[in-house]
Amino acid sequence: MASPDIAEMLEKSKELDRLRKEQEEVLLEINKMHKKLQNTPEAVEKPGDNSLSKLKMLYTQAKELSESEMSISNQLLGQLDAMIPAGGAGQQRRRIEGNEQKKKRMKGDPDIPRLSPSMRNQQEFFASLKGEQVAARVAQEDGEKDEWVIVKVTHYDKESKEFEVLDEEPGDDEEGGGQRKYKLPWSHIIPFPKMSDLATAPEFPPGKQVLAVYPGTTALYKATVVQARKRKSDDYTLEFDDDEEDGSLPQRMVPCNQVVALPDGHRQ
């Protein structure tokens, strides 16, 4: 009899198969629409023609399926990482604990390019992240806590399926004071929502736990959504864990494109 973890993984694998079949069906419909527009481009100018609206709907559906596939794949990789015994000592790592460490990463309003998954081929999507800034999980030395920071993707190796990333924020003196480089599996990478396409970004209701960039820093921490937003472009009002001041948690405003879903099994 399969263990609960294995059984859950098998169910997610079945869900992946279903999503890929749906993607193939949608792709066939998109190709049909492309051929129609190539053969009769004047059709879109006729009153009542809905070809472009239908094509947009198909692309939106394809994007949603791709995002769902990536989300489930990330969950599966996270489960596998948790089940596989850890290897030997890795590269030097740092800890971020409490408000004092948050202040060490203070940085003036970073300009963060965003990219949402929109490509059916995951390998192409991962390669396209080169030069982009994303959220990345950096391993802790003691293995007890996760550390998420903003990094810049410098390369994606299709063979090893690893990202080479650069933490552009200078480290502490005891860490050498320079920028740090990491090699990370894609389960440790989360692209940020795209400001120009917030309609497809996930919506987090009040009470939902998320991972968000702590204001004025390049580090991400677990937080809880406090208030509902009126518009997709509005900032989130959040309360960060371990951010207590005078016996209470202050409410902090965070741009919507700096808030992502809290990864399964997050440790802080």
Side-chain angles (χ1 to χ4, degrees):
M1 182 175 179
S3 69
D5 288 340
I6 297 297
E8 183 180 356
M9 290 175 61
L10 292 175
E11 287 301 316
K12 288 180 179 177
S13 297
K14 292 179 183 178
E15 179 66 10
L16 277 181
D17 289 337
R18 183 190 68 79
L19 288 170
R20 286 166 183 160
K21 289 178 182 177
E22 288 189 29
Q23 286 176 323
E24 291 175 359
E25 294 173 359
V26 172
L27 185 60
L28 287 174
E29 292 298 319
I30 288 176
N31 289 336
K32 289 179 183 178
M33 291 298 300
H34 283 172
K35 290 180 180 179
K36 176 183 176 182
L37 294 175
Q38 288 173 353
N39 295 331
T40 58
E42 68 279 359
V44 298
E45 300 178 1
K46 295 180 180 180
D49 183 85
N50 65 345
S51 299
L52 295 180
S53 297
K54 184 178 179 180
L55 186 60
K56 180 180 178 180
M57 180 188 69
L58 288 170
Y59 271 117
T60 300
Q61 186 178 358
K63 181 177 182 179
E64 291 173 350
L65 289 169
S66 178
E67 290 173 343
S68 297
E69 180 184 356
M70 186 173 181
S71 175
I72 293 175
S73 297
N74 276 333
Q75 292 175 28
L76 283 168
L77 280 176
Q79 286 180 294
L80 287 170
D81 284 343
M83 294 170 67
I84 297 174
Q91 59 186 323
Q92 183 179 6
R93 304 176 177 98
R94 65 186 182 282
R95 303 179 183 180
I96 291 187
E97 299 178 359
N99 294 338
E100 290 304 315
Q101 288 294 336
K102 290 175 183 176
K103 293 175 183 176
K104 288 183 180 180
R105 298 192 61 87
M106 295 300 291
K107 187 174 183 179
D109 198 17
D111 181 17
I112 307 169
R114 308 301 183 198
L115 187 66
S116 325
S118 59
M119 302 178 185
R120 181 172 179 271
N121 190 307
Q122 287 187 357
Q123 292 280 21
E124 291 181 5
F125 168 67
F126 294 148
S128 74
L129 287 174
K130 182 178 179 180
E132 300 293 333
Q133 287 180 302
V134 298
R137 177 161 72 90
V138 182
Q140 287 287 338
E141 187 174 352
D142 57 14
E144 295 179 356
K145 296 182 179 180
D146 297 337
E147 179 188 350
W148 286 84
V149 297
I150 298 173
V151 298
K152 182 178 180 179
V153 177
T154 57
H155 178 68
Y156 175 69
D157 189 327
K158 293 183 179 180
E159 295 298 324
S160 65
K161 295 181 175 59
E162 284 187 325
F163 284 91
E164 294 179 12
V165 300
L166 176 67
D167 183 355
E168 299 178 284
E169 184 75 0
D172 299 331
D173 291 339
E174 61 267 24
E175 295 173 340
Q179 297 177 336
R180 291 164 293 270
K181 297 180 181 179
Y182 301 97
K183 285 189 177 182
L184 302 171
W186 58 282
S187 59
H188 290 201
I189 300 293
I190 303 179
F192 289 102
K194 192 173 181 180
M195 281 299 294
S196 61
D197 194 18
L198 290 178
T200 61
E203 180 70 23
F204 303 114
K208 183 71 174 180
Q209 292 184 324
V210 296
L211 195 68
V213 178
Y214 190 84
T217 78
T218 57
L220 292 89
Y221 296 92
K222 182 179 176 183
T224 303
V225 178
V226 177
Q227 295 180 0
R229 300 184 304 154
K230 295 181 180 179
R231 297 170 299 184
K232 276 276 189 177
S233 59
D234 288 348
D235 291 351
Y236 277 101
T237 304
L238 305 177
E239 289 181 350
F240 284 87
D241 288 17
D242 305 321
D243 191 30
E244 187 172 325
E245 289 184 0
D246 300 325
S248 63
L249 293 176
Q251 296 183 359
R252 303 189 186 278
M253 305 299 293
V254 178
C256 58
N257 63 335
Q258 295 184 6
V259 180
V260 296
L262 185 70
D264 292 340
H266 177 74
R267 301 165 302 175
Q268 180 171 309

